[in-house]
Every structure is written in structure tokens, then in C-alpha cells.
Amino acid sequence: MSESSEAAARSVAERFERLYGAAPDGVWAAPGRVNLIGEHTDYNDGFVMPFALPHTAVAAVARRDDGVLRLHSADVDDPVAELAVDALAPGSDRRWTAYPAGVVWALREAGHAVTGADVHLASTVPAGAGLSSSAALEVVVALALNDLFGLGLRGWQLARLCQRAENVYVGAPVGIMDQTASACCEEGHALFLDTRDLSQRQIPFDLAAEGMRLLVVDTRVEHSHSEGEYGKRRAGCEKGAALLGVDALRDVPYAELEAALARLGDEEEVRRLVRHVITEDERVERVVAFLEAGDTRAIGPVLAEGHASLRDDFRVSCPELDLVVDTALGAGALGARMTGGGFGGSAVVLAEEADVPVITKAVEEAFAAAGFRAPRTFEAVPSAGARRLR
Ligand code: ADP
Ligand code: MG
């Protein structure tokens, strides 16, 4: 365990003890994620390729057998919330506690005898930056309960339950990527995930060894207003699949793209959405092939193509994200794209190590010149998925 996760585990455990008056049974961590490529494909049964961040949600948890669930976050200015596990009901909670409570609800609903817990958590995953702070929260609680109640569930099964918690209990129509990434990623790898059958492959992605870096630029534009837009895109994709007579857009082979687009006739909006999804799946496969062939620099242009498709066809970018991508590419980046759902959040920039200072400065200056809030840039090292710390 790294020194910083050791320190985080200790401080979260100590705070737990001060709050609840006894030591926790254990401490767990689950990371946020960045999606390298494969955006808005997960609800079309397609491909995604996230990797885990070093940023994690860390939870100290103690098992309870009296039906009481107590929740506390170091990052929210609320007292301990106390809930009864048998009274948990979807849609009843509009606060942050809905994420961990939703996990308990989903586990119980799936027939697992989770009889209560005390939870204290703290997270270094920035919330609302498109880096999946919500999945980190869900997965860390799910993993802790899996261990404490001896449920024996695998990472992908925990991910499914966490997705159900977020879909049904919280009421956010998210796909399976975030939770699977948080639960299943491995250090030094990106996760090639087929969101239809959840089959996965760890793809070596050790940029530092090859003299490259991947920057995450958080535009600090909140994406919370994007729910309605997300729903519209999702409905448009479903309409496209129906018009094309397939279960999901994933079923349209890339070789049949032009024919499929022609069949959509005057459905201009749907046609653009469909084109993004089908070409994006192909881009993910191209990135996997390049990385497996050891040709890492070749993925740069594919990332840039992906951004253009999200901006022009899927229309989920925003001026800040476009400015990061254009400025980074202009300053010598190998590739860049928005990541996450869009309408704000973060962009990823692939660059030679030596070019990082120039690119970072260029982006900062471009933001200042445009009158945008200063962005937050950090280096994303592909890190471990969810794990027990102590
Ligand atoms: P994202 O997952 O992209 O960060 P979401 O809107 O899906 O954005 O999730 C953000 C929400 O998750 C926050 O509004 C909050 O309710 C919850 N959350 C994230 N981190 C924490 C934390 N450390 N403590 C409490 N709640 C958190
Ligand atoms: Mg989220």
C-alpha cells in the first residue's frame, strides 16, 4: 500500500472512532475513473475504455446487525444520518446519502442479508467533475459490505448492484461503465469493457514508461444541468436502434455505417447520434489494437477524432472543453478529447512528457484570455481498482 493510502486509511479510521465511539471493522478504497475513449456508448451496449485514478473514496465501516444504517461524509457539512435498512425506499432521499443507502437497498433487494452498518467516508475524487465521484462512493460501500457480510460477490456483480442503486434509488439513468471501472480496474492498465456482456480485458497502459503523460483538465464547469440533455441523447439512440431494427446501436457493424445512415432518411438528429455511437465503438477497437501492438502514440489522433464526433455529431461538448482540446492540440499534444458525459467536467490530453509544461501553460492562458474560470490540471496515472486497505 502506498504511503498516502496508508495515511488516508488511518485518518478515516480515526475519524470513524471519534464519530461512533469504536474502531471500524475495516477500511476500503474505491477510485474515480477517467474514460480514455468510448463515450455515450455504454447505454448502447457498446465499448468503453476507462482507467482508475489515484483519487479514491475511502470508507471506514463497521457491521451492525440491528437494522440501523449510519452514514457520515467528511466532505459534507451534515451530522451523521441514521436510517432503518428495512425502510429504505427508492426516490426518498435527495441528498448524498442516497448513494450509499441505495447500495444497501440494492444488496437487500437482491436477497443479501445486509443488516446495517456504520459508515464514515472521505473522498479525494472531485465531485461533479466527470470523474465519477458517485461510483467511487457506491463501490467503496458495496465492497465493504461484501466483505463484512461474506457475500462473495465479484467486482462486476458489485458494479451491477451499484448501477442499480444509482438508476433506481438515486434516480440517475447512468450506464455500467463508472461502477465497473471503479470495481475492476488494475494499476498500469486501462479496462476494455464490453458493456453488453460485461466481458473485460486489461490493456497495458503505462504511459510513464514510454515517456508520455495523460493530463486531466477539469474545466470546473458543473455538469449537473445536463440530465435532460443526457435523456434526450439516450432516447435518440433508442429511436435510432428501433428504426434500424436492432436491439442496440452496438449491433450495427462499422462496415454497415453508411447503409445504416442512409436508412435513417430525414431523421437528421437521430442520424448524427447514430453516427457518433457507431464510429465511437470503432475508435475504441482501434485504440485497443494500437495499445496491444505497443503503438501508444498512434492513439492520439483517435482521441482527437472522438472529440470532434462528440462536439459535432453528439453535441455534448461546451466552449470550455473545446478550448482545452484545441489549445492542447495547438501546443503539441498527441491527442485530446472531452471525457465523461459532457456539458462541462473534464478533458484528457495525451502528451510527450517534455511538452506538459508548455501545454498546461497554454491552456491556462487560453482560459484566462477567454474569461473562463481557471481550470484544474492533474496527471492521471492508471491506478488500482477498489480494494481493502486494512
Ligand atoms: P460525478 O460522479 O461525475 O462526480 P455525480 O453527479 O454523478 O458526479 O455525483 C456527484 C454526487 O455524489 C455529489 O453531488 C454527492 O451527492 C455525491 N458525492 C460525491 N463525493 C462525495 C463525498 N465525498 N461525500 C458525500 N457525497 C459525495
Ligand atoms: Mg457520477
Side-chain angles (χ1 to χ4, degrees):
M1 199 186 347
S2 77
E3 237 170 79
S4 63
S5 40
E6 177 56 49
R10 195 179 327 115
S11 106
V12 170
E14 283 168 5
R15 181 91 190 264
F16 180 101
E17 195 160 346
R18 287 201 299 279
L19 275 171
Y20 297 117
D25 293 331
V27 181
W28 290 260
R33 62 95 189 99
V34 158
N35 192 22
L36 182 60
I37 188 132
E39 218 65 77
H40 289 278
T41 49
D42 65 347
Y43 51 84
N44 291 295
D45 279 5
F47 304 131
V48 296
M49 210 179 166
F51 64 89
L53 290 170
H55 307 64
T56 54
V58 174
V61 183
R63 173 186 169 134
R64 295 181 68 115
D65 294 300
D66 60 356
V68 173
L69 175 64
R70 294 195 291 180
L71 301 169
H72 187 263
S73 168
D75 309 308
V76 178
D77 204 12
D78 281 351
V80 173
E82 185 164 331
L83 307 156
V85 294
D86 58 7
L88 297 175
S92 60
D93 187 352
R94 295 271 137 239
R95 295 169 312 145
W96 74 273
T97 45
Y99 296 91
V103 170
V104 173
W105 171 82
L107 283 166
R108 287 173 57 85
E109 225 229 358
H112 303 294
V114 174
T115 50
D118 286 339
V119 178
H120 166 67
L121 57 88
S123 180
T124 55
V125 186
L131 302 175
S132 247
S133 68
S134 61
L137 218 60
E138 294 152 8
V139 170
V140 76
V141 170
L143 184 65
L145 297 173
N146 189 45
D147 285 355
L148 292 177
F149 289 93
L151 305 179
L153 297 168
R154 310 265 310 270
W156 65 270
Q157 294 172 302
L158 294 176
R160 269 261 190 262
L161 288 162
C162 289
Q163 181 200 16
R164 186 159 163 70
E166 189 152 346
N167 288 167
V168 181
Y169 198 91
V170 177
V174 296
I176 190 67
M177 167 170 64
D178 300 352
Q179 293 81 5
T180 310
S182 186
C184 301
C185 277
E186 289 179 11
E187 197 174 346
H189 292 78
L191 182 74
F192 175 38
L193 175 69
D194 180 334
T195 62
R196 168 162 282 167
D197 62 9
L198 298 194
S199 62
Q200 34 176 279
R201 201 152 91 220
Q202 302 288 344
I203 310 294
F205 190 52
D206 185 359
L207 294 167
E210 297 187 67
M212 282 172 281
R213 294 287 185 267
L214 196 114
L215 304 177
V216 173
V217 183
D218 174 7
T219 63
R220 300 170 77 195
V221 176
E222 292 279 340
H223 65 109
S224 51
H225 65 288
S226 65
E227 234 169 76
E229 295 296 327
Y230 178 93
K232 276 190 232 164
R233 301 302 184 287
R234 211 173 155 140
C237 289
E238 277 162 22
K239 184 172 176 188
L243 289 170
L244 293 169
V246 290
D247 284 343
L249 291 179
R250 158 348 160 18
D251 294 311
V252 181
Y254 181 68
E256 288 165 29
L257 172 65
E258 291 309 322
L261 295 178
R263 280 179 59 199
L264 292 171
D266 56 7
E267 293 280 355
E268 178 54 28
E269 176 75 27
V270 173
R271 190 163 47 225
R272 277 193 280 100
L273 299 177
V274 167
R275 184 164 53 205
H276 167 73
V277 173
I278 296 173
T279 58
E280 186 79 350
D281 274 337
E282 188 274 339
R283 281 186 287 272
V284 177
E285 293 187 287
R286 236 188 308 155
V287 164
V288 169
F290 281 138
L291 290 179
E292 288 193 325
D295 195 2
T296 307
R297 285 176 175 79
I299 75 172
V302 191
L303 303 183
E305 267 176 51
H307 184 76
S309 179
L310 288 161
R311 179 190 62 209
D312 303 334
D313 271 347
F314 221 70
R315 302 194 182 177
V316 290
S317 190
C318 65
E320 292 84 353
L321 287 168
D322 291 343
L323 189 61
V324 176
V325 170
D326 293 345
T327 308
L329 292 175
L334 295 162
R337 60 181 286 275
M338 53 159 277
T339 183
F343 305 105
S346 302
V348 289
V349 176
L350 179 70
E352 301 290 353
E353 183 182 356
D355 295 336
V356 166
V358 173
I359 292 167
T360 308
K361 186 157 178 275
V363 170
E364 279 166 10
E365 287 174 357
F367 267 58
F372 295 155
R373 199 170 166 201
R376 221 168 4 210
T377 301
F378 65 89
E379 218 181 279
V381 182
S383 301
R387 63 215 178 262
R388 187 169 190 159
L389 296 179
R390 55 155 76 176

